[in-house]
Amino acid sequence: MAQEVVKPDEQVVLGEEIENIRVITLNRPRQLNVISSKVVSLLAKYLEKWEKDDKAELVIIKGVGRAFSAGGDLKMFYDGREPRDSCLEVVYRMYWLCYHIHTYKKTQVALVHGISMGGGASLMVPMKFSVVTEKTVFATPEATIGFHTDCGFSYMLSHLPGHLGEFIALTGARLNGKELVTVGLATHYVPSEKMPELEKRLMCLNSGDRNAVKSAIEEFSLDVKVDEESVLNKQSTINECFSKDSVEEIIKSFETEASKEGNAWIGPMLKSLKRSSPTGLKITLRSIREGRNQTLTESLKKEFRLTMNILRTTISNDVYEGIRALTIDKDNAPKWDPPTLDKVNGEKVDIVFQPFKDELELQIPEKEECRWDGKYEHSAYAQVTEEAK
């Protein structure tokens, strides 16, 4: 498995047990708390242990520094491009974990102060309670680097009002704390200076009773009203453009709207769309559209297939080129292949959506009594790896 660079004594995730409260702290502030293989393994270990612990009632998750979590460790993926499937284990474990976060039995509170993007936001949005501040910044910018909207977001974004999900996924548009609460991607808005006090209040509560936790948060939360220039006030334009059948039609419609008075906000969004990976855009649009008619489990299994096919460069090398341009060479000048939307072969896109053999799919347990089954170490992939040693 691809290994991220972590100092041997570095505690990337802290897990605390204080009476009936359990606290997870993402502890890689210099790396914006990115999610690595070690982070995924520790999160899974703590969450399973605490769900089975009768004394554990409330789980709080937070990040150190200016980020909650900036998402997956892109350098880990880039360094793991050879040999084949170096990152398969961390991908499998992460998507399996996403299902368990969505369906977790204990009360959870995410205290989200700062950057919360991509896979990092999958530790926020599904929580029973997710508290954001004026400094929270959310985005799912994966398509811009030749990847796709993953970690359950093809399901979550597709259920937003109208065609807001397609807009967020394709443009990488950022939402602030007030906007997140307004669209239902967070539950409460609390001023950042009140967050330490809120955390202290939750610790003193020493209970996972949902009504009690909700009341405690509401002692500090404010009602929200989005700013006049918010993209949420552009819903009719977004619906008009992002309801189109193809990425090409979406861009053409968006260009038409951009020429109208009062639509200067579209310019930066169009620029982002046109700079993004054509292959990434086409895969992302289809995935979001499919997510609208899928269950969470179906969406996660689909995302696993897409991720593995993308990392295997089944139809394009764009993801590694996108990471190179953004974080390795930092020239912000990716050379996409193919370079334009009209050159992306629809039949090739079909390939990355094809189901795997049953034993090679993401194994998400169907029976409640077996809900922690399906771990990577019991999968067909782990058996193959073991036999190869």
Side-chain angles (χ1 to χ4, degrees), residues 163-358:
H163 293 275
L164 187 62
E166 287 99 322
F167 168 75
I168 292 171
L170 294 175
T171 65
R174 297 184 173 194
L175 300 183
N176 61 34
K178 290 180 180 178
E179 291 168 330
L180 288 168
V181 173
T182 300
V183 298
L185 293 174
T187 61
H188 295 83
Y189 178 88
V190 171
S192 57
E193 68 269 16
K194 295 286 187 181
M195 286 289 260
E197 203 176 336
L198 167 59
E199 184 179 351
K200 195 177 296 183
R201 177 75 177 85
L202 292 171
M203 298 298 292
C204 291
L205 190 64
N206 199 33
S207 168
D209 180 85
R210 291 188 190 178
N211 289 330
V213 171
K214 184 171 183 283
S215 295
I217 296 172
E218 287 175 350
E219 291 174 22
F220 301 89
S221 66
L222 302 177
D223 292 335
V224 299
K225 183 180 180 182
V226 297
D227 299 333
E228 191 176 334
E229 65 273 17
S230 168
V231 294
L232 301 187
N233 290 325
K234 321 293 185 185
Q235 186 81 50
S236 60
T237 300
I238 288 170
N239 287 345
E240 171 64 28
C241 298
F242 287 80
S243 61
K244 304 302 185 212
D245 290 338
S246 67
V247 178
E248 291 93 330
E249 290 174 288
I250 286 171
I251 290 176
K252 185 177 179 181
S253 179
F254 218 25
E255 286 173 333
T256 299
E257 293 296 325
S259 65
K260 297 179 181 178
E261 189 176 347
N263 278 347
W265 63 277
I266 293 177
M269 304 294 176
L270 261 177
K271 186 177 180 181
S272 175
L273 270 171
K274 292 178 177 181
R275 284 173 55 89
S276 297
S277 157
T279 301
L281 289 174
K282 293 226 171 185
I283 291 173
T284 295
L285 179 62
R286 176 167 166 179
S287 181
I288 294 288
R289 293 270 165 88
E290 288 189 2
R292 197 165 276 130
N293 298 307
Q294 291 175 327
T295 64
L296 171 66
T297 294
E298 290 168 339
S299 289
L300 286 169
K301 288 187 174 187
K302 170 199 64 187
E303 291 172 5
F304 177 70
R305 293 177 212 125
L306 293 178
T307 293
M308 292 318 305
N309 277 315
I310 289 171
L311 294 179
R312 289 167 175 167
T313 65
T314 301
I315 65 170
S316 172
N317 190 54
D318 276 5
V319 68
Y320 298 118
E321 175 62 10
I323 295 173
R324 179 206 64 76
L326 179 68
T327 67
I328 307 301
D329 297 336
K330 300 181 181 179
D331 57 23
N332 289 313
K335 294 178 174 58
W336 304 125
D337 181 24
T340 56
L341 288 163
D342 62 304
K343 295 288 196 300
V344 179
N345 187 309
E347 291 182 1
K348 285 190 175 182
V349 172
D350 288 341
I351 292 172
V352 299
F353 282 87
Q354 290 302 308
F356 292 160
K357 292 180 181 178
D358 287 348

Side-chain angles (χ1 to χ4, degrees), residues 35-163:
I35 298 172
S36 63
S37 58
K38 188 174 181 181
V39 170
V40 173
S41 294
L42 287 169
L43 287 172
K45 183 185 81 169
Y46 287 133
L47 290 174
E48 179 177 3
K49 177 187 176 185
W50 294 339
E51 185 177 283
K52 295 176 177 178
D53 180 359
D54 290 338
K55 192 177 178 184
E57 294 187 20
L58 174 65
V59 177
I60 297 171
I61 182 167
K62 60 181 181 176
V64 173
R66 64 189 182 92
F68 175 72
S69 174
D73 189 337
L74 296 182
K75 188 175 187 303
M76 177 187 69
F77 287 111
Y78 188 80
D79 291 344
R81 62 196 184 280
E82 295 291 347
R84 177 183 165 96
D85 288 353
S86 293
C87 292
L88 190 151
E89 181 178 339
V90 67
V91 170
Y92 187 104
R93 290 184 184 280
M94 182 62 192
Y95 293 177
W96 182 87
L97 176 62
C98 284
Y99 172 79
H100 290 83
I101 290 172
H102 273 265
T103 58
Y104 204 63
K105 303 303 179 186
K106 301 294 177 75
T107 304
Q108 318 137 294
V109 177
L111 300 177
V112 187
H113 179 63
I115 299 166
S116 181
M117 294 188 178
S122 71
L123 307 177
M124 169 191 88
V125 177
M127 299 297 183
K128 306 294 188 300
F129 301 101
S130 48
V131 182
V132 294
T133 75
E134 76 282 358
K135 295 184 179 180
T136 304
V137 180
F138 164 91
T140 53
E142 293 86 353
T144 63
I145 61 163
F147 200 52
H148 68 107
T149 306
D150 69 332
C151 291
F153 275 104
S154 72
Y155 175 80
M156 290 181 277
L157 293 184
S158 69
H159 288 77
L160 292 180
H163 293 275

